[in-house]
Amino acid sequence: MKQIVAAILLSILSLGSFAQSLRIAAASSMVDFLEEIKPKFEATHPQSLEIITNSSGTLANQIKNGAPFDIFLSADQKYTTLLHQEGFGVSAPVTFAYNKLILYTKKDIAADQVHDYLAGTECTNIGMAQPDLAPFGNAARKYLTQIKVLDDISNKLIYGQNISIVNQYIYTHSVDAAFTSLSSKNKLSSKVACCWIELSSETAPALPQSALILNDSTRDFLDYLRNDNNAKSIIQKYGYLNN
């Protein structure tokens, strides 16, 4: 009898040894859809997910310095490509979705009034993520340059290290305008009704959401993210465009 019990315990321990915790390093803009996908993935796979979020640039620097992440999900292709060129990753980065830059304003204005509103006296501060760390900050800077207003409003810009901090500016009505992601807008708009402007693809192209596998153990997760119908539906719900 003791031998049977010991065999059962050994079997349980052996099964437990195969359980893995995958460390997902993801851009701050992705936290909501990942938190919803997490229990669905864990229900059908022998792996648990640990989600670590920050700006894409900050996470890329952490990976260079040895952070033990298993996969990197960046809000654009810049950081995954640079890392792969420097020898990181077990395969080339892949795009799994697209996200768009969105402008929040306290005042209801038309899309063709953005330049005048941002440059005008009614708008005293403008939130955006750090361009050198966060893809949506970089996209916002490119957009402001494109509409020829960046130099005129440089003294109004308030930077957050990542998109989550910018979203807090919006949620607390701390800024007159702010640049965030479409996925963030889909969550924030239920709490902050006015006002959201979808910028044209000519001045603000959609950003490819890029994945870099750092450990072979995450191939199943990336496959789930790209191909599972439930996962794709959740990603779409948060405003992403499927690849």
Side-chain angles (χ1 to χ4, degrees), residues 82-224:
L82 288 173
L83 283 172
H84 187 61
Q85 289 172 347
E86 293 179 23
F88 293 90
V90 298
S91 57
V94 298
T95 297
F96 65 90
Y98 291 85
N99 204 348
K100 295 187 68 177
L101 184 70
I102 290 287
L103 176 62
Y104 156 80
T105 57
K106 277 187 178 179
K107 181 180 178 181
D108 189 8
I109 61 171
D112 60 1
Q113 297 175 311
V114 169
H115 177 287
D116 292 344
Y117 175 73
L118 295 180
T121 56
E122 286 184 276
C123 182
T124 60
N125 44 35
I126 303 163
M128 62 185 284
Q130 283 282 0
D132 296 330
L133 291 174
F136 282 98
N138 186 45
R141 179 168 62 186
K142 288 180 178 178
Y143 170 78
L144 293 170
T145 301
Q146 182 82 359
I147 66 170
K148 297 180 172 57
V149 74
L150 180 61
D151 292 340
D152 296 332
I153 64 169
S154 58
N155 62 326
K156 299 181 182 183
L157 296 174
I158 300 174
Y159 296 102
Q161 183 178 355
N162 54 57
I163 206 74
S164 293
I165 294 174
V166 175
N167 290 342
Q168 282 297 313
Y169 296 160
I170 297 171
Y171 181 72
T172 57
H173 303 281
S174 301
V175 290
D176 296 320
F179 290 93
T180 187
S181 64
L182 178 58
S183 56
S184 297
K185 175 254 182 183
N186 282 9
K187 179 182 179 181
L188 282 167
S189 58
S190 63
K191 304 176 181 69
V192 184
C194 190
C195 300
W196 302 94
I197 300 172
E198 293 200 25
L199 307 172
S200 72
S201 57
E202 288 77 18
T203 53
L207 278 67
Q209 310 295 282
S210 183
L212 179 65
I213 294 176
L214 302 167
N215 185 320
D216 269 321
S217 61
T218 54
R219 289 192 184 278
D220 284 349
F221 172 70
L222 181 56
D223 181 68
Y224 180 84

Side-chain angles (χ1 to χ4, degrees), residues 22-28 30 34 50 52-64 67-84 88-96 133-135 209-215 218 221-222 225:
L22 302 180
R23 291 172 59 85
I24 315 297
S28 297
M30 301 180 189
L34 285 172
E50 181 182 353
I52 303 97
T53 62
N54 210 318
S55 66
S56 297
T58 297
L59 292 170
N61 287 332
Q62 290 174 354
I63 291 167
K64 288 182 182 180
F69 301 139
D70 296 304
I71 190 170
F72 175 36
L73 305 180
S74 175
D76 70 358
Q77 294 174 320
K78 171 185 174 181
Y79 295 105
T80 52
T81 300
L82 288 173
L83 283 172
H84 187 61
F88 293 90
V90 298
S91 57
V94 298
T95 297
F96 65 90
L133 291 174
Q209 310 295 282
S210 183
L212 179 65
I213 294 176
L214 302 167
N215 185 320
T218 54
F221 172 70
L222 181 56
L225 203 63

Side-chain angles (χ1 to χ4, degrees), residues 32-53:
D32 296 312
F33 86 75
L34 285 172
E35 289 292 351
E36 187 166 342
I37 281 176
K38 172 179 161 69
K40 297 183 184 300
F41 175 82
E42 292 175 343
T44 55
H45 293 76
Q47 298 165 311
S48 62
L49 303 182
E50 181 182 353
I51 301 166
I52 303 97
T53 62

